[in-house]
Each structure stands twice: as C-alpha cells, then as structure tokens.
Amino acid sequence: MEKILISACLAGDRVRYDGRLAPLDHPLIREWKKQGRLVRFCPEMEGGLPMPRPPAEILRGPGAGGLDGKIRIKTVQGEDVTRAFIKGAELALALILRKNISVALLKDKSPSCGSSRVYDGKFRGRLIPGMGTTSALLDRFGVRVFSETQLEALNLFLKSG
Ligand code: SF4
C-alpha cells in the first residue's frame, strides 16, 4: 500500500515554529493513519532548528528562488537559516527515496512545506505563489505534493495508482 509523507504538524506532532499544535482532523487522515500509510516528517526540526523558533520566510530578492544555491531564508530577526532548510529538504528526499514514497501531504504556506503559496519574504503576512524548500525539492524528483486543502484530490490520486 502506497505510503504518504506527511508534514509532522498535520499529523499532530508539536513541531511548529510557535509551539502550537495544528493537527488535521479529517476522516481520510484517520483512515490513512489506520492503514499505516502516514510517514511523519518535519523538515525544519530534522534540519536542526529548535522548537519554538522564530518565524522564517523565503527572501525573494533578485535571482532568488528554487534550490539552485541562490535561495536565502531568514528569520524575522535576520538570522540566515538557509542551511537548515536545505538540510531538512535533503533529508526528506533521502527518506522518500529510502521508503519508495511518491506522494506527499504537506502544510501549505510554510517556507519548507508550502506547495502552492508561501509568504513573500517581507514578514508582512502577504502570500505569493510559490513552493517551500522541501516541496520544491520533492517536486523536482517527481513526488506528487498535495496540501491540506487537497485531501480529496490526494485520495483520488491514491485510488488511481
Ligand atoms: S516545517 Fe513543515 S512539518 Fe515542520 S512545522 Fe513547518 S509545516 Fe509543519
């Protein structure tokens, strides 16, 4: 049965930057959990960041974007946390390759896990189209990344496979 890489915060783990819980309560999640499909992972914690931690955003300066060595991620206090984010993304990739996982359910709007929107890098609460570091890397390697608003689409994808 196909496994699903899931953002650990959506699975109920206390890993968010602000220390709050954000479990995704949905019948499909309960079903997948019962089936043993869910593989929990938090790229930011695995990348070595603490909890709680200051919020971070992807900077969108000239030439930034993608995991091409130009991306820069900073906390609201100006600390460069790019290396931790890249490490978390690479560990997520290693995990899905090791476990032969081809689908992920990741928390949108996160600078790691976002798959359709991320904050604009200016810490003013404005979202722009884009992917977080982990979603972008997994997507590049052919993993189908769904967000928490796409559970039905993910379910159809699993059934079609
Ligand atoms: S990095 Fe991903 S899994 Fe970790 S707290 Fe943020 S959204 Fe959740």
Side-chain angles (χ1 to χ4, degrees), residues 6-11 13-18 20 22 40-46 51 53 85 105-114 134:
I6 183 169
S7 291
C9 56
L10 294 181
D13 294 351
R14 194 181 294 279
V15 290
R16 279 172 50 98
Y17 74 95
D18 57 6
R20 287 187 306 157
R40 315 147 92 99
F41 189 85
C42 174
E44 291 174 25
M45 296 286 289
E46 295 294 334
M51 192 283 298
R53 53 190 174 276
F85 275 70
L105 171 57
L106 301 182
K107 175 87 178 65
D108 210 6
K109 302 189 275 188
S110 150
S112 293
C113 295
T134 294

